Amino acid sequence: MAADQEFLYKTLRGFGETGLPQQTVNMLIVVGFCITAIVAAVLWYNNKQLKKKLNAVPTSWITDKKQLEQIFETALVYRSKIDLSFHTKSEKRRTIACSIEDITDRLILEIPANGNIGRSWIGREVTCFFHVPAKQSGMVIFYNFNSVISEVNAKSSQYFNLIVELPDHIEQTQKREFLRVSPPSRHYDYVNIIPETKQGKAAGLKFISTNGEYAPGYMGGKEAAVLLSDISGGGLSLELTRMSSKRASHFKLKKGQNFLVLLSLVDFGNKGIVRHLFVTKIRRVFIDSTRGHAQLGLSFESQFMGFDDDTKKPKWEKVSQNGCPEMDDWTYNLYLELYREGNE
């Protein structure tokens, strides 16, 4: 920069030797220095902003030490389950449930004993998923972090202690926003969308009461199919395929319309197939009549919760803006299942 200024000064001084008034030469020198200073300032600022972008901490990361301590203390008090996932190049990912037993300068986890636990686990990298209660009653906040197992100790014949290093940050992952998952077909048995009419509700309730033995036909016709593209606690996306061009061209689907969605999902516990009935609202729609194809994005508006004991009438519960907890849980378990299989 000094060399550039010296060259500029000599150049401007040259104008003086050609007969320009000294006052003009001095003014040109000052203007030249001002321009140089402005250019240098702009380059410095742009470089600083670029470094910020390159080194920016994601907004979902929590790095404040006191906040991290508070979150882990809450997880300890509530005995929050920690889903610990191994990931190495030589083996498929697997998830093991444990809990926080104590917090020192490291995390002490309690894990049920099994034949695979041993000293060979020391040094392994793990990803840990957990949640703690939110201020709003009934809601939880989800987090995950990466760490390394530093010790493995036998606590009793039934339990081991895993000691993992405290992370320098954890990531907050609200399930409804973060965990929008595309389920493989093996994880759901049936999905369908039908009009929210008196006849449609009767068909949906019959689907529930007969445990899926009765299933309404598809709006797209006998040869049509409905696929579950993705799902979260707030809603789902569907694909309607193999429709005739004529039927697809006559579809009158618009944003804001309500439809019933019927779901048969494979439970991740021991319940087998669990069936659900929702009133949903169309948020996004695309129809390709030439291919007999439609894509729908729908939000959960209300959920069928059974029949009233006295009146025997169906009970519907409005889904809040925080989404459906039951679908949140199913989506989260699906995410972990796919993660341990190495598909996420």
Side-chain angles (χ1 to χ4, degrees):
M1 184 64 68
D4 291 341
Q5 291 177 349
E6 183 179 356
F7 174 77
L8 177 64
Y9 180 80
K10 289 181 178 180
T11 302
L12 293 174
R13 290 290 296 177
F15 285 113
E17 295 174 359
T18 62
L20 286 175
Q22 185 62 43
Q23 185 178 2
T24 302
V25 173
N26 292 340
M27 183 181 68
L28 290 173
I29 292 174
V30 172
V31 171
F33 282 136
C34 290
I35 293 174
T36 302
I38 292 172
V39 171
V42 170
L43 290 175
W44 173 83
Y45 177 79
N46 288 341
N47 186 55
K48 184 179 179 181
Q49 292 301 111
L50 180 61
K51 286 183 178 179
K52 280 185 178 180
K53 290 181 179 179
L54 292 175
N55 300 319
V57 175
T59 56
S60 59
W61 284 17
I62 297 172
T63 57
D64 181 75
K65 188 175 181 181
K66 288 186 178 180
Q67 191 175 359
L68 289 174
E69 290 175 353
Q70 184 179 13
I71 291 170
F72 282 122
E73 286 290 345
T74 303
L76 172 63
V77 169
Y78 284 91
R79 295 290 290 177
S80 298
K81 183 179 73 169
I82 305 287
D83 288 304
L84 184 146
S85 295
F86 294 89
H87 44 93
T88 66
K89 295 180 180 179
S90 60
E91 66 177 357
K92 288 187 175 181
R93 295 166 183 170
R94 52 198 174 109
T95 303
I96 299 173
C98 51
S99 60
I100 300 178
E101 182 179 279
D102 198 6
I103 304 172
T104 57
D105 58 335
R106 294 177 291 180
L107 284 178
I108 302 175
L109 306 180
E110 181 183 82
I111 181 173
N114 64 57
N116 298 323
I117 300 176
R119 304 288 295 178
S120 62
W121 284 20
I122 295 176
R124 288 198 180 190
E125 295 182 359
V126 290
T127 298
C128 300
F129 300 84
F130 70 102
H131 63 76
V132 297
K135 291 182 180 179
Q136 184 177 351
S137 177
M139 299 302 296
V140 295
I141 303 175
F142 282 75
Y143 302 99
N144 69 73
F145 64 90
N146 295 322
S147 188
V148 176
I149 297 176
S150 56
E151 289 185 34
V152 178
N153 299 321
K155 179 182 177 183
S156 66
S157 60
Q158 296 183 332
Y159 291 96
F160 273 78
N161 282 137
L162 298 182
I163 292 85
V164 301
E165 299 297 323
L166 279 168
D168 57 5
H169 74 274
I170 63 176
E171 183 176 11
Q172 180 176 334
T173 53
Q174 292 291 1
K175 287 198 300 185
R176 189 158 69 94
E177 298 174 356
F178 178 71
L179 292 179
R180 177 171 289 275
V181 182
S182 298
S185 58
R186 66 181 181 277
H187 289 289
Y188 68 94
D189 182 64
Y190 174 81
V191 61
N192 199 0
I193 178 172
I194 58 178
E196 190 206 14
T197 60
K198 184 177 180 180
Q199 183 180 2
K201 281 192 173 181
L205 293 173
K206 187 175 180 181
F207 163 78
I208 293 290
S209 61
T210 61
N211 290 321
E213 291 183 12
Y214 166 80
Y218 295 119
M219 292 194 305
K222 292 183 179 180
E223 301 300 321
V226 178
L227 305 176
L228 180 56
S229 298
D230 60 58
I231 186 170
S232 71
L236 72 175
S237 297
L238 300 178
E239 286 190 43
L240 283 62
T241 64
R242 301 205 303 268
M243 298 183 292
S244 67
S245 298
K246 182 178 180 180
R247 185 180 286 266
S249 63
H250 283 82
F251 264 179
K252 304 299 181 183
L253 303 177
K254 296 180 180 179
K255 291 182 181 179
Q257 287 182 312
N258 282 1
F259 280 84
L260 294 174
V261 167
L262 294 63
L263 286 172
S264 293
L265 303 178
V266 178
D267 183 61
F268 290 95
N270 55 6
K271 296 181 181 179
I273 294 175
V274 180
R275 292 170 179 85
H276 306 272
L277 179 62
F278 287 95
V279 174
T280 65
K281 187 182 294 293
I282 294 180
R283 300 296 182 181
R284 172 177 51 83
V285 58
F286 171 76
I287 300 175
D288 184 350
S289 58
T290 59
R291 294 175 54 228
H293 184 89
Q295 294 178 331
L296 302 176
L298 305 117
S299 61
F300 295 131
E301 299 299 312
S302 59
Q303 181 181 14
F304 171 72
M305 302 300 291
F307 294 93
D308 186 270
D309 293 334
D310 298 325
T311 65
K312 307 303 179 183
K313 292 183 177 180
K315 296 187 297 183
W316 296 87
E317 183 175 296
K318 183 177 176 59
V319 176
S320 72
Q321 62 180 359
N322 296 306
C324 174
E326 196 173 357
M327 291 299 99
D328 254 345
D329 289 338
W330 189 83
T331 304
Y332 180 66
N333 287 323
L334 173 62
Y335 172 79
L336 291 180
E337 180 72 16
L338 297 178
Y339 184 88
R340 72 168 63 97
E341 291 176 358
N343 295 328
E344 281 290 315

